[in-house]
């Protein structure tokens, strides 16, 4: 759809050019295609219009213009999301926040940083490092992902086992509500009184407004960091070692596992030099006071050896630690070396059923002929199966989708969740009814409608049915009007 084909968009481009400047508005079809997907490239929609505001005033102008024209809008940061959360609307405006990239303040005394949403995750740590602090959530994409997207998806990372997710590190936000009002929630102080509206914003995937400023908690750099890489014959032994370490009361900063296929991919991509013949590797990192780290490290090493680790390497310095992590952090992209196409799945299970679920995933792989590489945050049961396929082979993409869905069903059946850190977005909306009742989803929708009664902020994401604000919660009969109109789908 072009703006010439959408009456509601007529004049919107010129109005936004006048407000934001000519270089901040894109309506050329070829340039618009740059923004047709986020990190989940299997879904593509060319937006009708892209705007790139440089400050909160520009965001307000864009959102208010959309509200007055009744045009839907989608916020996008660096475009690294893996659930299609920033998938544009063909009849809407994509508001890209990458130009809002100022680090407004590093307040070491209060252990806070105030940043704009386009600031890259790792740049917060670089800015705070001079004062001896860092920002703890570390998605694998932390070199390029932006903090605004991290807030939208409640991103995690390898070190969230000990330090928690984005929601545990955001103490305040400024955001533009869907009617264009600028709202502040929280600030530098912890635990604002009243309902936890800040908690509602973090992880809301852009459905409640556009975040324009974030206040995050900074963490003191630890006195000591030690990292261990252990090679095992298979995931059973590595999983048993994981459970034993956590069961002993040790909470590592990170505990990551890769299976044989994931190791093969990483070796092909970055030659990480993991132990020869390993069916699984476990990377365990401890940090904190030196004496505590020393004592716990001995405990970790003991449990790894007791559960069959045939080779253990201990990083001697930062360079060697980085080499341990290079294979793990490259894993998602690395599978492109061994498969033309793949699906990055994201689900969570209780750590105690890790072996059982991995066995079932292996069975699914054998039954369908679809290979699955496993790389995951072992300590908190956050799986990232990489479902490999060749789209050029008839029927293989469909079988890969079935395997991917079956893995999520396994997560639900074992008391887990359909997402750990990638969000629901467009990709997993159809799985929401398998995890939540109609009453649950209607209650969530009532909250969304309180912020966005017009349904303009990132519509079509998170919720599986075209529920509309103003509808009476509960079961409904017959086709939904949006379904009849052909602009929404009931999963």
């Amino acid at each position: 759809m072009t703006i010439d084909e959408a009456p509601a968009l007529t004049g919107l481009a010129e109005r936004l050019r006048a407000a934001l400047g000519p270089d901040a508005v894109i309506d050329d079809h070829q340039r618009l295609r740059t923004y047709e997907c986020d990190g989940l490239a299997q879904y593509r929609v060319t937006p009708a219009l892209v705007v790139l505001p440089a400050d909160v005033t520009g965001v307000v102008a864009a959102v208010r213009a959309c509200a007055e024209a009744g045009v839907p809008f989608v916020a996008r940061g660096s475009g690294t999301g893996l659930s299609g959360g920033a998938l544009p609307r063909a009849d809407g405006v994509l508001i890209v926040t990458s130009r809002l990239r100022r680090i407004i303040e590093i307040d070491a005394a209060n252990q806070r940083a105030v940043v704009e949403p386009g600031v890259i995750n790792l740049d917060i740590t670089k800015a705070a490092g001079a004062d001896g602090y860092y920002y703890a959530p570390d998605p694998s994409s932390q070199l390029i992902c932006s903090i605004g997207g991290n807030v939208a998806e409640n991103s995690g990372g390898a070190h969230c086992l000990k330090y928690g997710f984005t929601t545990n590190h955001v103490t305040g936000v400024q955001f533009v509500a869907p009617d264009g009002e600028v709202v502040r929630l929280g600030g530098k102080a912890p635990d604002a009184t009243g309902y936890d509206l800040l908690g509602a914003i973090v992880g809301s995937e852009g459905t409640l407004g556009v975040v324009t400023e974030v206040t995050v908690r900074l963490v003191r750099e630890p006195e000591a960091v030690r990292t261990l890489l252990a090679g095992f014959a298979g995931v059973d032994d590595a999983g048993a070692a994981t459970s034993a370490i956590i069961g002993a009361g040790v909470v590592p900063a990170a505990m990551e596992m890769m299976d044989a296929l994931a190791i093969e991919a990483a070796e092909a991509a970055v030659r990480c030099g993991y132990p020869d013949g390993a069916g699984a590797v476990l990377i365990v990192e401890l940090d904190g006071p030196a004496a505590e780290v020393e004592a716990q490290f001995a405990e970790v090493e003991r449990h790894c050896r007791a559960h069959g680790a045939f080779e253990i390497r201990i990083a001697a310095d930062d360079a060697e630690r980085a080499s341990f992590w290079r294979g793990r952090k490259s894993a998602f992209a690395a599978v492109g070396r061994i498969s033309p196409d793949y699906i990055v799945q994201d689900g969570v299970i209780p750590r105690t059923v890790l072996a059982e679920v991995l066995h079932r995933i292996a069975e699914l792989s054998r039954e369908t002929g679809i290979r699955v590489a496993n790389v995951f945050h072992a300590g908190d049961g956050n799986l990232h199966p990489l479902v490999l396929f060749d789209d050029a082979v008839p029927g293989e993409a469909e079988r890969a989708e079935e395997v991917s869905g079956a893995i999520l069903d396994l997560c639900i059946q074992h008391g887990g969740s359909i997402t750990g850190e990638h969000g629901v977005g467009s990709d997993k909306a159809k799985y929401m009814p398998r995890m939540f009742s109609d009453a649950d989803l209607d209650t969530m929708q009532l909250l969304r409608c309180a912020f966005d009664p017009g349904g303009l902020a990132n519509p079509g994401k998170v919720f599986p049915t075209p529920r509309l604000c103003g509808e009476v919660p509960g079961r409904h009969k017959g086709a939904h009007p949006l379904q009849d109109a052909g602009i929404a789908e009931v999963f």
Side-chain angles (χ1 to χ4, degrees):
M1 180 180 292
T2 66
I3 59 173
D4 296 330
E5 298 167 332
L9 287 161
T10 303
L12 195 59
E14 290 309 314
R15 179 179 172 184
L16 289 171
R17 280 196 179 91
L20 305 177
D23 66 336
V25 179
I26 298 172
D27 58 3
D28 174 74
H29 183 70
Q30 290 305 317
R31 293 182 64 197
L32 288 172
R33 291 197 60 192
T34 303
Y35 300 92
E36 65 184 5
C37 68
D38 56 13
L40 187 64
Q42 67 200 72
Y43 300 114
R44 295 175 185 269
V45 175
T46 304
L49 202 63
V50 169
V51 297
L52 298 103
D55 53 30
V56 63
T57 303
V59 176
V60 169
V63 170
R64 190 162 286 160
C66 289
E68 291 174 0
V71 171
F73 62 87
V74 176
R76 171 189 164 117
S78 294
T80 58
L82 292 171
S83 63
L87 187 71
R89 293 270 301 203
D91 59 346
V93 175
L94 189 70
I95 301 174
V96 180
T97 60
S98 57
R99 290 184 176 176
L100 285 85
R101 53 189 178 213
R102 287 185 307 142
I103 294 178
I104 298 170
E105 181 184 11
I106 298 293
D107 183 355
N110 285 306
Q111 299 185 343
R112 297 289 185 270
V114 183
V115 302
E116 291 186 330
V119 170
I120 300 301
N121 173 299
L122 190 59
D123 287 348
I124 301 176
T125 289
K126 290 178 179 175
D131 295 304
Y133 289 89
Y134 72 105
Y135 178 60
D138 58 341
S140 294
S141 57
Q142 70 175 145
L143 286 169
I144 52 173
C145 67
S146 60
I147 193 68
N150 293 176
V151 171
E153 304 298 329
N154 187 25
S155 300
H159 291 81
C160 290
L161 172 61
K162 181 175 181 179
Y163 292 101
F165 287 69
T166 299
T167 192
N168 304 113
H169 296 268
V170 173
T171 61
V173 297
Q174 176 196 69
F175 72 102
V176 179
D179 63 356
E181 180 184 2
V182 178
V183 179
R184 279 192 177 276
L185 295 172
K188 291 182 180 178
D191 301 327
T193 56
Y195 291 117
D196 185 14
L197 298 180
L198 179 60
I201 291 292
V202 181
S204 62
E205 305 194 19
T207 60
L208 305 183
V210 182
V211 170
T212 50
E213 184 185 295
V214 188
T215 303
V216 299
R217 189 191 315 275
L218 298 175
V219 178
R220 174 64 91 178
E221 290 177 350
E223 181 183 9
V225 180
R226 296 200 71 187
T227 307
L228 170 153
L229 172 72
F232 295 84
V235 294
D236 283 359
D237 290 342
T242 299
S243 289
I245 292 166
I246 299 290
V250 177
V251 181
M255 184 179 273
E256 302 286 300
M257 192 190 302
M258 298 168 67
D259 71 3
L261 198 52
I263 295 168
E264 177 189 335
E267 293 287 358
V270 297
R271 298 183 180 180
C272 43
Y274 288 166
D276 289 337
V281 295
L282 195 61
I283 300 174
V284 184
E285 189 160 283
L286 296 171
D287 66 13
E292 177 184 299
V293 168
E294 197 64 29
Q296 292 189 337
F297 201 80
E299 186 87 347
V300 168
E301 190 173 355
R302 183 175 68 81
H303 284 296
C304 285
R305 294 193 187 282
H307 290 87
F310 65 83
E311 182 174 339
I312 291 179
R313 301 176 187 171
I314 298 170
D317 51 30
D318 288 348
E320 190 168 12
R321 179 162 57 248
S323 76
F324 287 2
W325 281 109
R326 187 166 61 246
R328 167 60 186 90
K329 286 182 178 286
S330 71
F332 287 1
V335 294
R337 296 295 188 105
I338 62 171
S339 176
D341 302 284
Y342 62 94
I343 298 169
V344 179
Q345 194 49 280
D346 167 46
V348 179
I349 55 171
R351 177 178 36 78
T352 51
V353 297
L354 199 54
E356 182 179 348
V357 170
L358 290 174
H359 276 297
R360 183 57 191 137
I361 291 174
E363 288 176 357
L364 282 169
S365 180
R366 286 193 295 273
E367 291 165 4
T368 60
I370 297 293
R371 296 183 299 164
V372 180
N374 289 291
V375 50
F376 49 95
H377 309 309
D380 53 10
N382 186 183
L383 306 178
H384 290 309
L386 302 163
V387 183
L388 314 184
F389 66 100
D390 184 351
D391 199 29
V393 177
E396 198 160 285
E398 290 76 11
R399 284 187 288 135
E401 287 284 356
E402 290 173 7
V403 169
S404 183
I407 291 172
L408 290 185
D409 285 338
L410 279 174
C411 292
I412 296 170
Q413 291 162 12
H414 287 82
S417 167
I418 60 173
T419 179
E421 55 186 351
H422 294 177
V424 176
S426 302
D427 191 43
K428 294 182 176 175
K430 61 186 175 186
Y431 296 104
M432 289 287 275
R434 302 188 192 182
M435 190 165 172
F436 297 103
S437 69
D438 277 358
D440 295 333
L441 293 171
D442 285 335
T443 302
M444 295 181 203
Q445 183 69 354
L446 286 173
L447 174 65
R448 177 177 184 168
C449 293
F451 283 81
D452 183 24
L456 296 178
N458 208 10
K461 311 294 169 52
V462 181
F463 292 96
T465 61
R467 287 178 168 83
L468 299 177
C469 298
E471 288 185 331
V472 177
R475 295 181 182 277
H476 303 281
K477 294 182 178 180
H480 194 282
L482 290 182
Q483 186 184 17
D484 275 340
I487 58 177
E489 182 181 0
V490 178
F491 295 103

